[in-house]
Amino acid sequence: MRTRILCLSGPGSPAIRTFGNTVSNLIMILPPLYGAVQTFNDGLEKRYLAAYLGVTVVGLGSWCFHMTLQYEMQLLDELPMIYSCCVFVYCLYECFKVKNSINYPLIFLLVLFSLIVTVVYLRWKEPVFHQVMYGVLVSSLVLRSVYIVTWVYPWLRGLGYTSLGIFLLGFLLWNIDNIFCEFLRTLRASMPPVVGAVTQLHAWWHILTGLGSYLHILFSLYTRTLYLRYRPKVKFILGIWPVILVESPKTH
């Protein structure tokens, strides 16, 4: 566990230990908060409110960890990744059910999975275990997403594959940063500060996973609202940031 903390050390200040890895979490905090407010105002199912807020919690936990590099804050960073991804799994696997349905067996399995991962990780303190468990959840999302865009809503391939591609690219960079930690730190030390900052793969992991997670929720929400016949539409704020607009469920 301490190895990962050392790997993340870099340019910073007494107040913020790793500046780039800290501020890059803003993409996991602000856009999901906006999505949560919009989901609440539209009266959509609370599971999507939980999905947006889950990403925000991950971003806040990661901010605290990279600002302090304390072990307790590392747990606040990593464990919510498991919990929020479980919410993603629930949303995506329940998108073809009646409105406001609750799948208690699936909830039980996901909660049990989260508890087992938490207990084992607290006792074992092995980062690879966390990465593998997180990878299991991501793999289940990939399989479900491919099923949806292949057999149910083929016209969502653009959104579905974009979210998966961005997320998996971030996941790849995260693992490269973990595996080649010492080499990358040495390489950055020989670079000009600006160039070294741009090559912070962990910061890119934050940016890409934040964007990928946000787009995944949009994909899941679009799939769900299509099934419920809410006529969802994608709108771009300032021409660049996507949001989903749906008719109020109260009109159906």
Side-chain angles (χ1 to χ4, degrees), residues 26-37 51-53 55-56 210 214:
L26 285 174
I27 196 171
M28 288 194 285
I29 299 174
L30 299 181
L33 275 179
Y34 177 86
V37 171
Y52 278 122
L53 292 179
V55 178
T56 297
Y214 179 86

Side-chain angles (χ1 to χ4, degrees), residues 128-145:
V128 175
F129 170 75
H130 171 267
Q131 294 164 22
V132 170
M133 293 300 99
Y134 187 65
V136 168
L137 293 173
V138 171
S139 297
S140 68
L141 291 175
V142 171
L143 292 175
R144 182 64 167 176
S145 298

Side-chain angles (χ1 to χ4, degrees), residues 38-50:
Q38 184 183 35
T39 298
F40 179 80
N41 291 337
D42 288 343
L44 302 177
E45 292 167 307
K46 298 299 187 294
R47 66 187 69 170
Y48 290 99
L49 180 63

Side-chain angles (χ1 to χ4, degrees), residues 4 25 28 50-65 71-89 110 113-115 117-118 121-122 130 134 137 167 174 205 209 213:
R4 179 170 178 253
N25 286 292
M28 288 194 285
Y52 278 122
L53 292 179
V55 178
T56 297
V57 170
V58 172
L60 290 173
S62 184
W63 178 290
C64 292
F65 169 54
Y71 171 67
E72 292 77 11
M73 295 299 102
Q74 182 171 340
L75 294 177
L76 190 62
D77 170 14
E78 293 176 330
L79 290 177
M81 291 170 59
I82 299 294
Y83 309 151
S84 62
C85 206
C86 283
V87 177
F88 289 1
V89 171
L110 292 172
F113 179 86
S114 298
L115 288 174
V117 171
T118 300
Y121 195 42
L122 289 176
H130 171 267
Y134 187 65
L137 293 173
F167 191 91
W174 180 42
W205 150 248
T209 194
S213 296

Side-chain angles (χ1 to χ4, degrees), residues 128-202:
V128 175
F129 170 75
H130 171 267
Q131 294 164 22
V132 170
M133 293 300 99
Y134 187 65
V136 168
L137 293 173
V138 171
S139 297
S140 68
L141 291 175
V142 171
L143 292 175
R144 182 64 167 176
S145 298
V146 171
Y147 166 76
I148 290 172
V149 300
T150 302
W151 302 104
V152 186
Y153 297 136
W155 55 90
L156 291 183
R157 286 176 182 170
L159 179 57
Y161 287 148
T162 299
S163 65
L164 287 176
I166 292 174
F167 191 91
L168 291 176
L169 176 59
F171 189 67
L172 174 64
L173 295 182
W174 180 42
N175 282 280
I176 291 175
D177 189 64
N178 287 330
I179 295 171
F180 301 103
C181 168
E182 296 300 328
F183 170 77
L184 292 172
R185 288 182 62 205
T186 303
L187 182 63
R188 279 194 293 268
S190 63
M191 296 178 175
V194 175
V195 178
V198 174
T199 59
Q200 287 279 354
L201 296 187
H202 199 86

Side-chain angles (χ1 to χ4, degrees), residues 230-242:
Y230 287 169
R231 297 180 182 177
K233 295 180 180 179
V234 175
K235 176 183 177 182
F236 290 87
I237 299 177
L238 301 177
I240 56 174
W241 194 260

